Amino acid sequence: MKIRYFDHSATTAVDDRVLEAMIPYFSENYGNPSSVYGIGKDNKEVINICRMKIASMLNCKVNEIYFTSCGSESDNLILKGIAFANKNKGNHIITTKIEHPAILDTCKFLEKFGYRITYLTPKSNGIIDVNELEKNITKNTILISVMYANNEIGTIQPIREIGEIAKKYGIFFHTDAVQAIGNIKINVREENIGAISLSAHKFYGPKGMGVAYINENIPFWRMQDGGHQERNKRAGTENVPGIVGLTKAMEIAEENLIEYNRKLKTLRDFYISEIRKRVPYIRINGDLENRLSGNANICFNGVDGSKLLAELDQKGICASSGSACSAGLITPSHVLLAIGVPNKIASSSLRVSFGKENTLEDTEFLIESIEEIVMKLRN
Ligand code: PLP
C-alpha cells in the first residue's frame, strides 16, 4: 500500500543531501571532538563551522549557539536554566496555554520551586493578545516564553511585538521555534529574541538533534553536569553527525524557503477549500492568515477523531489529531480547548501538515478519503 504522509509537524524524513553529509561522521570521521589528536581536532573544527553557519542564519553570535539532543531539551535548558540563574531578580514567568508540553510541564516543574507562572489564554483565532501580555508584567517578571508557531493549529504569534515589549521592560524573551524554523526566516537580533529552541527532525534533519540559542547577556545554569562541552554549559560528547545533519538541513530550508512555502500553501489552501465544499459541519481552527503554510486543523463535528485517524491509516494516510491518550483516556487537545472549542467538538479534530514530498494527486486522495470516512462515521 502506498503511504501518503501528511504529518510533517510530527516529524519529517531526512533529506538525501542531509544523510549524505552525515554518513562520513558515523564511521570515517569518528574522532571525539575533545581529543587532542588530528581526527578529534578535525571534528571540533567541523562543529565550529556548523555553529558559525547556524549563528549566521539566525543572526546571532557564534558563542550563543548550544547544541542539544532535541527541542524538548532546549526548552528545558532555557526555561530552567534562566529561571534558576535569575531567581534573585524575580520569580514570575509569562507563557501561554497553547505551548508544547515541553514548555507547559517545565513550567509546572518550576512552580514546585516557587516560581509563579502566568498562562495567557489566546484569542479564539489562536493568537496571543500582546496588550494582555503587557498587562501581566510585574516587577518580578524575569522571562516571557511564547512559541513562534503552534504545533497543532499552526498559528504564528506576534513575535516582533512581544520582543519589543520584552525589550521595553528588560525581560528575557524565549520563543519555542521548533515548528517555525524551516518555514519562517528568523532573525533573533531584529526580533529582540533572547533565546530560541529548535529541533532538526521538523525540517528534514535527523531526530535527536536540537539547538538552543541563548543571548550572551542572559545568565543561565547548566542543566547537565560532567564534561566541558558547549563552553561548560552542556556536558556530553557532541553528536557530530547530528550537528552536521542539522546544519545542512537548515541551509537547505533557508535556500528553498519561498518556494517551499508557496508549494505547501497551494496544497493546504486547495485541501481546505475542497473540504469546505464537500464536507458539511466542519470548523477550521486557528487564524487563516497568520498560520504556517502547511498546516490545516479541522474539526469534523460528530466524528471521533481517533476513529477518523484509524480509518485514514487503513488507506495508508498518516495524519494526526491533537488528542492525547493517557491511562487509556482520550483527552481533547489543550490547544483547542484554550481557543474555546467545546470539549466534544475538540475530539473531532484532524491536523494535516503538508511537506515537500506531497503532491496534488495525494491531496486529492486525502480529500476523497476524508469525505468518504466522515460520511461513514457520521452515519
Ligand atoms: N516544541 C514544539 C512546538 C514542538 O512541536 C515539539 C515537537 O513536536 C517540541 C517542542 C519538542 O521537540 P522534540 O521532539 O525535538 O523534543
Side-chain angles (χ1 to χ4, degrees), residues 74 92 174 224 311 325 345 362 377 379:
S74 298
H92 180 225
H174 163 246
Q224 192 152 287
E311 295 266 351
C325 182
I345 297 178
D362 288 345
L377 292 177
N379 285 334

Side-chain angles (χ1 to χ4, degrees), residues 9-11 68-75 98-103 147-152 176-180 197-202 206-210 351:
S9 292
T11 197
T68 67
S69 68
C70 58
S72 302
E73 187 193 328
S74 298
D75 284 341
I98 60 169
E99 300 296 313
H100 187 272
I103 294 290
M147 71 198 323
Y148 211 114
N150 185 267
N151 44 307
E152 291 187 32
D176 174 340
V178 167
Q179 293 290 339
S197 315
L198 306 180
S199 180
H201 73 104
K202 306 289 184 179
K207 292 174 184 57
M209 192 60 229
R351 179 188 73 183

Side-chain angles (χ1 to χ4, degrees), residues 47-88:
I47 295 177
N48 286 342
I49 293 169
C50 289
R51 211 186 295 279
M52 278 191 295
K53 287 181 175 173
I54 293 168
S56 142
M57 285 185 268
L58 292 176
N59 191 22
C60 65
K61 293 189 181 168
V62 179
N63 65 352
E64 294 173 322
I65 296 294
Y66 299 88
F67 291 115
T68 67
S69 68
C70 58
S72 302
E73 187 193 328
S74 298
D75 284 341
N76 273 263
L77 171 73
I78 292 169
L79 261 63
K80 292 175 189 168
I82 295 178
F84 290 142
N86 295 280
K87 194 150 192 186
N88 60 333

